[in-house]
C-alpha cells in the first residue's frame, strides 16, 4: 500500500538548474514506492520498470559517478534532455543567452559532481489535495506500473537527500 | 535545414525543434508543450521532414533515438556553438562553477607548512576542493563589506580510529578556472568544537581561535579578521606573539588574502596560526 511520501531521484544538477533558472520550481517524476522490488509481487509496484524506480535510478547514478563511467546511458540521456530544455527555455525567453550557454557548458563539461544523485522526499497529501499530482499516461510510462509527476514543486514542499561525494 | 521552419528566426525555430525532441520520449513533460498557436501542426511537419531528410524509418527499433538526435542536430546548427570556456569562467566569477572543474594551485607556504608530508596533504586538498562536503563562495565584488572571489571548502576524512578522523578546511581565491589555495588546515573534533558550525567560514573562525594568535591589520585586532579595508597598496601587519618557556621563537603563519579595491587594499580572512601548536596537534592525532 502506498505511503504518505513520494520519492523522486534526480541528478544534483537538476536541482541546481531548477533553483538557479526556474525560480526554484522543480519538475519531479516521482513514485509512491522508493524501491518497488521490495514490495509485494501482487502490488502495483511490481509492475514499475527499473528505469522508473527511484532506488534504482539513485544507485545507478551513484555507481556511474563513482566509477566515472563515460558510457553511462543514464547520464547521456540527462545531457540530451538538459540541452533540449535549455533550448526550449531560451526560445520562450525564460532564460537569456548567457544562461543558455552556462547550462550547455555545464552538461558538456567533464564534471562528475553535477551528476551525483539526489532524492526528493515529498509529503504526498498537500500536493494531492491541491490537485497537482498527475498520473502519467500509460503510453508515457516505462511499464505498466504507476508513475506520477509534479510539474511545479516548490522548495518548501520537499526535503532533499544528497549522496556523499567520494 | 528543416524547410518548414525557414520563415522563423533561429531561436524560435530551435525552440520548436527542442520541444519536438522532448516530446519524443517525454510527451508528458510540460517543457514539451507547444507554445506557438500553430505549433502542433508545425511539429508534425517538422518530424515528417526530419524522418525523410535523415532517412529514418519509423519501423526501426531505434527510430525515436535517431529522430531525437536529428532534431538536436538541427537546433544545434541554428543556435551555433557555445563558448564553453567563457560560460564556465562566468560561473567561476559568480562562485557557481562545479568545484571539480577548478584547477587547484597550492601556494608555496602550504608546502612549507607540511614539509615532507606535503604530497599527502596535496591530495587531500585537491579532493576537498573537487569533492567537498560543504562549500561556500564569495562572488564578484558587488556586496560592500564582503570579500570577493574567495571560496572555502570542507571535507571529512573518516578514519577507523576516531581520534584520527578530521575535517580538511581549504580556502582559496578564484581566478578564471583556477583556484589558488592559500589556507589548508586539518581540524580534529577533539581539538575544536565544530558543533553548530554551519559553514566553512565559521569552521575557520573556530580554528583560528583555537590555534591562532592576535594579529593587528589596519585598525582591527583579533585571532580572525574577516575583512578590513586599508587605504593604499600595502597591508600593515603586526603580530603579538607571547613567549613560550624554553623557546625563543614560535613559528606563526600569518595568512592574508589581499584584494585591490577602488580605494586601496582589502585584507580578508586574516589568521595568525601558531604552526608549532598546530603541528603538535597533528602529531598527537597520528599524523
Amino acid at each position: 500500500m502506498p505511503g504518505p511520501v513520494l520519492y523522486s531521484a534526480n541528478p544534483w544538477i537538476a536541482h541546481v538548474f531548477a533553483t538557479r533558472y526556474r525560480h526554484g520550481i522543480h519538475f519531479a517524476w516521482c513514485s509512491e514506492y522508493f524501491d518497488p522490488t521490495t514490495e509485494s509481487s501482487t502490488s502495483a509496484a511490481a509492475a514499475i520498470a527499473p528505469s522508473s524506480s527511484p532506488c534504482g535510478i539513485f544507485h545507478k547514478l551513484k555507481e556511474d559517478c563513482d566509477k566515472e563511467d563515460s558510457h553511462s546511458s543514464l547520464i547521456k540521456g540527462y545531457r540530451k534532455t538538459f540541452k533540449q530544455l535549455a533550448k526550449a527555455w531560451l526560445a520562450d525567453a525564460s532564460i537569456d543567452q548567457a544562461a543558455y550557454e552556462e547550462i550547455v557548458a555545464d552538461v558538456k563539461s567533464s564534471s562528475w559532481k553535477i551528476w551525483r544523485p539526489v532524492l526528493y522526499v515529498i509529503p504526498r497529501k498537500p500536493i494531492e489535495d491541491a490537485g497537482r499530482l498527475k498520473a502519467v499516461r500509460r503510453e508515457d510510462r516505462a511499464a505498466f506500473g504507476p508513475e506520477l509527476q509534479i510539474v511545479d514543486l516548490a522548495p518548501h514542499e520537499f526535503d532533499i537527500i544528497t549522496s556523499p561525494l567520494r | 535545414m528543416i524547410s518548414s521552419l525557414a520563415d522563423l528566426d533561429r531561436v524560435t525555430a530551435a525552440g520548436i525543434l527542442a520541444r519536438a525532441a522532448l516530446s519524443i520520449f517525454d510527451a508528458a513533460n510540460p517543457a514539451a508543450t507547444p507554445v506557438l498557436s500553430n505549433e502542433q501542426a508545425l511539429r508534425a511537419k517538422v518530424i515528417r521532414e526530419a524522418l525523410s531528410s535523415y532517412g529514418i524509418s519509423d519501423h526501426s527499433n531505434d527510430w525515436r533515438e535517431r529522430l531525437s538526435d536529428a532534431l538536436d542536430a538541427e537546433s544545434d546548427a541554428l543556435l551555433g556553438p557555445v563558448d564553453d570556456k567563457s560560460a564556465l569562467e562566468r560561473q567561476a566569477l559568480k562562485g557557481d562553477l562545479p568545484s571539480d572543474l577548478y584547477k587547484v594551485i597550492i601556494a608555496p607556504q602550504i608546502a612549507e607548512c607540511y614539509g615532507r608530508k606535503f604530497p599527502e596533504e596535496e591530495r587531500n586538498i585537491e579532493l576537498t576542493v573537487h569533492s567537498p562536503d560543504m562549500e561556500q563562495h564569495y562572488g564578484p565584488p558587488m556586496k560592500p563589506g564582503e570579500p570577493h572571489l574567495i571560496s572555502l571548502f570542507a571535507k571529512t576524512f573518516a578514519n577507523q580510529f576516531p581520534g584520527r578522523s578530521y575535517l580538511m578546511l581549504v580556502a582559496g581565491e578564484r581566478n578564471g578556472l583556477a583556484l589558488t589555495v592559500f589556507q589548508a588546515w586539518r581540524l580534529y573534533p577533539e581539538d575544536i568544537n565544530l558543533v553548530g558550525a554551519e559553514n566553512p567560514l565559521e569552521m575557520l573562525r573556530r580554528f583560528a581561535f583555537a590555534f591562532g594568535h592576535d594579529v593587528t591589520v589596519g585598525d582591527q585586532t583579533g585571532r580572525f579578521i574577516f575583512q578590513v579595508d586599508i587605504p593604499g597598496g600595502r597591508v600593515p601587519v603586526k603580530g603579538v606573539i607571547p613567549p613560550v618557556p624554553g623557546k625563543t621563537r614560535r613559528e606563526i603563519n600569518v595568512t592574508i588574502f589581499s584584494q585591490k579595491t577602488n580605494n586601496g587594499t582589502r585584507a580578508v580572512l586574516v589568521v595568525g596560526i601558531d604552526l608549532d601548536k598546530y603541528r603538535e596537534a597533528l602529531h598527537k592525532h597520528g599524523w
Side-chain angles (χ1 to χ4, degrees):
Chain A
M1 180 176 156
V5 169
L6 303 168
Y7 306 93
S8 176
N10 300 274
W12 176 77
I13 197 68
H15 171 56
V16 169
F17 288 160
T19 304
R20 203 179 282 166
Y21 303 116
R22 311 309 288 167
H23 308 290
I25 301 303
H26 293 61
F27 172 73
W29 202 301
C30 47
S31 173
E32 305 160 286
Y33 308 95
F34 172 65
D35 184 359
T37 64
T38 62
E39 301 291 329
S40 162
S41 58
T42 56
S43 74
I48 293 175
S51 60
S52 300
S53 157
C55 179
I57 294 168
F58 191 96
H59 287 293
K60 185 71 176 78
L61 253 184
K62 184 166 188 330
E63 185 182 21
D64 290 353
C65 286
D66 285 348
K67 296 190 177 161
E68 296 188 359
D69 185 346
S70 57
H71 289 183
S72 165
S73 56
L74 200 49
I75 293 174
K76 277 187 185 171
Y78 284 129
R79 277 205 178 97
K80 269 179 77 73
T81 298
F82 284 125
K83 284 167 75 175
Q84 290 163 356
L85 285 169
K87 292 169 186 170
W89 295 339
L90 176 68
D92 70 15
S94 53
I95 62 171
D96 60 14
Q97 180 72 25
Y100 163 73
E101 292 177 0
E102 287 163 20
I103 292 170
V104 172
D106 273 347
V107 302
K108 283 169 61 182
S109 75
S110 57
S111 170
W112 286 98
K113 183 183 172 191
I114 63 173
W115 302 114
R116 73 189 192 279
V118 297
L119 186 70
Y120 306 161
V121 181
I122 309 160
R124 179 189 188 126
K125 192 172 189 319
I127 309 291
E128 197 163 31
D129 288 350
R132 291 161 53 209
L133 188 61
K134 311 286 183 203
V136 178
R137 300 177 311 173
R138 169 62 187 99
E139 54 263 44
D140 296 322
R141 301 202 298 258
F144 287 106
E147 297 177 23
L148 303 163
Q149 277 186 353
I150 307 168
V151 304
D152 55 359
L153 190 62
H156 66 275
E157 293 181 317
F158 66 103
D159 199 1
I160 189 164
I161 297 173
T162 56
S163 63
L165 293 163
R166 276 181 306 129
Chain B
M1 170 66 185
I2 301 288
S3 62
S4 311
L5 303 174
D7 293 338
L8 299 172
D9 67 273
R10 59 182 188 83
V11 173
T12 302
I16 291 169
L17 289 162
R19 288 189 290 272
L22 282 163
S23 72
I24 294 169
F25 288 107
D26 190 7
N29 192 325
T33 304
V35 169
L36 305 178
S37 57
N38 62 339
E39 186 168 333
Q40 192 65 45
L42 193 50
R43 179 181 295 180
K45 283 176 72 174
V46 165
I47 288 176
R48 278 198 303 274
E49 190 176 338
L51 288 171
S52 171
S53 301
Y54 284 81
I56 303 168
S57 164
D58 57 6
H59 296 301
S60 60
N61 286 337
D62 61 349
W63 74 268
R64 285 191 175 86
E65 189 75 46
R66 293 175 62 201
L67 176 59
S68 175
D69 288 345
L71 296 175
D72 286 345
E74 290 290 330
S75 56
D76 284 341
L78 284 168
L79 294 177
V82 165
D83 183 348
D84 296 335
K85 187 166 182 287
S86 296
L88 294 175
E89 285 175 349
R90 283 199 303 274
Q91 290 188 75
L93 200 62
K94 292 183 281 189
D96 289 343
L97 186 74
S99 67
D100 57 345
L101 295 179
Y102 282 115
K103 176 177 161 53
V104 176
I105 300 166
I106 300 176
Q109 63 260 34
I110 295 179
E112 290 166 17
C113 171
Y114 290 106
R116 62 182 175 81
K117 293 209 173 183
F118 172 67
E120 179 185 351
E121 296 312 306
E122 186 178 22
R123 285 192 296 275
N124 289 344
I125 291 167
E126 287 180 354
L127 201 55
T128 300
V129 172
H130 290 156
S131 307
D133 295 332
M134 293 175 80
E135 52 188 296
Q136 185 177 7
H137 304 280
Y138 291 93
M142 282 165 35
K143 292 185 184 177
E146 272 197 3
H148 53 270
L149 301 177
I150 299 295
S151 292
L152 300 101
F153 304 87
K155 185 176 183 72
T156 297
F157 288 81
N159 190 288
Q160 58 177 328
F161 302 108
R164 296 189 179 188
S165 296
Y166 61 94
L167 179 134
M168 192 86 203
L169 183 62
V170 172
E173 186 173 34
R174 306 190 302 276
N175 183 4
L177 301 183
L179 181 87
T180 303
V181 174
F182 285 102
Q183 295 196 37
W185 309 108
R186 288 190 179 204
L187 279 61
Y188 290 90
E190 269 184 29
D191 301 332
I192 303 162
N193 182 6
L194 295 175
V195 173
E198 291 189 350
N199 53 54
L201 182 70
E202 176 59 22
M203 295 172 185
L204 179 62
R205 191 191 311 269
R206 295 187 189 189
F207 171 74
F209 271 82
F211 286 92
H213 287 288
D214 280 346
V215 178
T216 298
V217 179
D219 61 358
Q220 289 193 33
T221 297
R223 295 193 177 196
F224 175 81
I225 299 173
F226 176 59
Q227 175 176 287
V228 56
D229 285 330
I230 298 162
R234 287 190 65 245
V235 177
V237 179
K238 283 187 287 190
V240 178
I241 303 154
V244 174
K247 256 198 135 158
T248 56
R249 188 174 76 92
R250 289 189 78 83
E251 188 176 357
I252 303 292
N253 176 291
V254 179
T255 307
I256 303 174
F257 289 115
S258 290
Q259 300 181 316
K260 293 249 184 298
T261 66
N262 290 336
N263 302 320
T265 304
R266 174 170 295 161
V268 300
L269 302 188
V270 182
V271 297
I273 301 301
D274 184 332
L275 290 185
D276 291 323
K277 184 177 179 183
Y278 177 63
R279 290 192 190 107
E280 283 162 13
L282 293 180
H283 289 304
K284 183 182 81 176
H285 291 288
W287 183 75

